[in-house]
Amino acid sequence: MNARQSILDKLYQTRDLADFIPTKAEAPKLPTWNDQQKLEKFTQMISAVNGEVHSCEKNNWPHKLLEIAQQNKLGNLLHAPQTEWGAVLAAYFQATEHQLELLEYPQSIDEEGFKEKLFFSIDAAFTGSIGAIAETGTLIVWPNQHEPRLMSLVPPVHFCILEKEKIWNTFAELIENAGWQKGLPNNALLISGPSKTADIEQTLAYGAHGPSQLIVLVV
């Protein structure tokens, strides 16, 4: 018998192998917050990483968006009028006097001059969301042909609208209720605050790989 086997034999003799067989793990107890608690938890978590949350009514959120844009001295705003929320925003801007230029995302990123404008001249973009996760303060954005990924990635400021009744307790609850266990979406984005990095000298900087401001309008 070699030394290795001798050591193993001694170990096996000192403990009953049954002690090493894991028992069936109990499922973790998940939070079950009510609607108000979910909103408060979401706000707490996303605010902790520099996200902004503004509560609005469904009939006045464009006014709030315009007010915030003016406070931040934004010159223009990219939106998608083909979407439900984008159409509401467009209608409000048509009926209101303001200095903010409302821009439409073109059918193609390759449209003449748009790519340069997107990267160097557009101050902010507005998109919808399909919900949020309270436990982690995470927005769920689902890009499509009208609101492509670039809208929530390139402009320095990202406005996003969230319906408060679509806040789930946890990611697990989202997967179950949205039916994601049957087929995951191919392009869902989970956004937990503005873009940030501390790669250089461990100094936290915002906007390194995406928007430096994330503004959530909760309706």
Side-chain angles (χ1 to χ4, degrees):
M1 180 181 298
N2 58 35
R4 177 178 179 278
Q5 191 60 50
S6 177
I7 293 171
L8 290 175
D9 287 346
K10 289 179 181 178
L11 289 174
Y12 291 147
Q13 292 169 7
T14 55
R15 294 292 300 272
D16 187 340
L17 286 179
D19 294 340
F20 294 95
I21 300 175
T23 57
K24 185 177 181 181
E26 295 184 1
K29 188 176 181 180
L30 301 177
T32 54
W33 297 303
N34 60 36
D35 289 347
Q36 181 60 32
Q37 290 171 325
K38 285 189 286 188
L39 176 57
E40 291 174 355
K41 186 65 176 178
F42 169 79
T43 302
Q44 175 196 351
M45 296 303 291
I46 202 167
S47 298
V49 291
N50 226 31
E52 298 178 33
V53 179
H54 299 269
S55 294
C56 314
E57 300 296 330
K58 285 194 174 181
N59 60 357
N60 76 349
W61 65 266
H63 175 75
K64 186 64 178 178
L65 183 152
L66 183 58
E67 182 180 284
I68 297 170
Q70 291 172 337
Q71 290 171 353
N72 284 272
K73 299 180 179 179
L74 302 178
N76 54 44
L77 175 71
L78 189 63
H79 81 305
Q82 303 89 344
T83 65
E84 176 187 355
W85 297 111
V88 173
L89 186 65
Y92 176 82
F93 271 60
Q94 287 178 356
T96 309
E97 291 188 10
H98 54 81
Q99 300 298 318
L100 186 65
E101 182 183 11
L102 193 61
L103 304 173
E104 294 184 17
Y105 197 94
Q107 291 186 346
S108 170
I109 182 68
D110 295 322
E111 185 172 296
E112 184 178 358
F114 179 73
K115 192 179 295 183
E116 183 176 356
K117 189 173 185 178
L118 175 64
F119 280 88
F120 298 104
S121 303
I122 292 181
D123 297 330
F126 167 81
T127 74
S129 70
I130 63 169
I133 302 167
E135 185 180 38
T136 55
T138 303
L139 273 173
I140 306 155
V141 175
W142 199 319
N144 56 37
Q145 59 176 334
H146 301 307
E147 286 185 347
R149 175 72 175 101
L150 289 174
M151 287 185 68
S152 59
L153 180 65
V154 178
V157 180
H158 179 200
F159 287 93
C160 190
I161 194 163
L162 167 66
E163 295 173 90
K164 55 188 174 186
E165 62 268 24
K166 294 183 179 178
I167 302 177
W168 287 279
N169 287 293
T170 63
F171 186 53
E173 185 181 80
L174 161 68
I175 290 177
E176 181 177 356
N177 292 346
W180 285 12
Q181 72 274 31
K182 299 175 183 176
L184 288 172
N186 56 12
N187 197 22
L189 304 176
L190 305 180
I191 302 175
S192 298
S195 168
K196 55 186 175 297
T197 182
D199 289 349
I200 301 175
E201 296 183 347
Q202 296 186 337
T203 300
L204 184 61
Y206 288 93
H209 310 296
S212 57
Q213 275 186 275
L214 174 63
I215 301 169
V216 184
L217 303 172
V218 180
V219 297

